[in-house]
Amino acid sequence: EIKTLEERLRTRFEWGLLADVQPPDFETRTAIIHRKAEQIGIEVPTEVAEYIANRLKTNIRQLEGAVKKLKAYKMLQNSPPSIMVAQNTIRDILNDNQPVPVTIDRIISEVGRTFGVSPADIRSNKRSAPISQARQVAVYIVRDITGLPMKAIGAEFGTRDHSTIVYAIQKVENRMAKDMSFKGMVMDIIKNISEK
């Protein structure tokens, strides 16, 4: 189609191979993180690798940079790889066009403010109706916004197990399907957190 292209250049192009290079999928990104961690001698827990893979989706260099930063945090601040350290690492890596990941503390504070419950109560084992409802909404929003694995979310809410986290999410989803004003409130909280 390029009429002015010299014959010698045209034949060079014909030597080539056309390949559609897509960004790596979730499993590949997680494998890249583990492999890089192994190469530089640091152990990255699966939930931390999955958290990073969920946040950095298009650039392999960013994934490798995140692992290097995890090692730097461990060496300089003696902070072993955790979700909190990964959040700080990713915040450093993401450029200006990408939103900074929302912290779990901010989600819990916003939910607590809406429900009139303290963040400490949301994280506690208290079971009164207002606190339980606020906790379930906070769990749902943490999962919705951060995409953290259930186990990691459970650890943020006083070492709750996987089934408790699944139950909380399902309870909120069911109520949102039946109660439009409740759904509106949850969506408003998500909007407030995302805009800050």
Side-chain angles (χ1 to χ4, degrees):
E1 291 180 1
I2 304 174
K3 298 201 169 35
T4 57
L5 197 63
E6 293 177 38
E7 178 66 22
R8 65 185 180 81
L9 291 177
R10 192 172 65 76
T11 55
R12 289 234 173 95
F13 284 131
E14 288 171 350
W15 278 352
L17 167 71
L18 285 178
D20 184 15
V21 182
Q22 297 289 337
D25 63 11
F26 176 77
E27 286 77 19
T28 307
R29 294 193 304 272
T30 308
I32 290 167
I33 291 164
H34 283 302
R35 169 137 177 139
K36 187 66 183 177
E38 194 181 305
Q39 284 175 347
I40 64 174
I42 183 173
E43 197 170 317
V44 177
T46 302
E47 64 268 16
V48 175
E50 288 176 355
Y51 177 80
I52 294 169
N54 263 321
R55 303 261 97 38
L56 302 175
K57 297 183 179 177
T58 56
N59 192 326
I60 292 173
R61 286 191 189 92
Q62 286 181 337
L63 294 174
E64 293 181 342
V67 177
K68 287 178 183 173
K69 282 185 185 258
L70 287 177
K71 182 163 187 179
Y73 271 105
K74 188 171 190 307
M75 288 171 60
L76 300 172
Q77 299 177 2
N78 201 22
S79 303
S82 68
I83 297 293
M84 293 306 264
V85 174
Q87 282 186 329
N88 292 333
T89 301
I90 290 168
R91 192 176 294 116
D92 295 344
I93 289 171
L94 291 176
N95 62 27
D96 296 337
N97 335 338
Q98 292 171 300
V100 173
V102 175
T103 65
I104 292 168
D105 289 337
R106 204 166 96 205
I107 293 169
I108 291 172
S109 295
E110 187 68 29
V111 171
R113 191 180 62 74
T114 304
F115 281 85
V117 174
S118 77
D121 281 344
I122 290 175
R123 288 183 187 266
S124 77
N125 288 325
K126 293 179 183 174
R127 294 183 178 214
S128 72
I131 293 171
S132 288
Q133 188 177 29
R135 184 180 302 122
Q136 288 168 350
V137 169
V139 165
Y140 172 83
I141 293 175
V142 166
R143 176 68 177 175
D144 184 73
I145 291 180
T146 68
L148 280 173
M150 303 292 182
K151 187 177 173 187
I153 295 172
E156 292 292 336
F157 289 87
T159 63
R160 284 177 165 77
D161 65 17
H162 180 277
S163 60
T164 308
I165 298 303
V166 171
Y167 173 78
I169 292 167
Q170 286 174 346
K171 189 140 189 194
V172 172
E173 285 173 345
N174 292 342
R175 186 163 172 199
M176 283 170 70
K178 294 173 190 162
D179 182 345
M180 285 299 118
S181 66
F182 177 76
K183 181 178 181 178
M185 180 193 64
V186 172
M187 300 316 282
D188 281 346
I189 296 171
I190 292 171
K191 188 167 175 268
N192 289 344
I193 291 164
S194 303
E195 286 176 353
K196 282 183 181 175

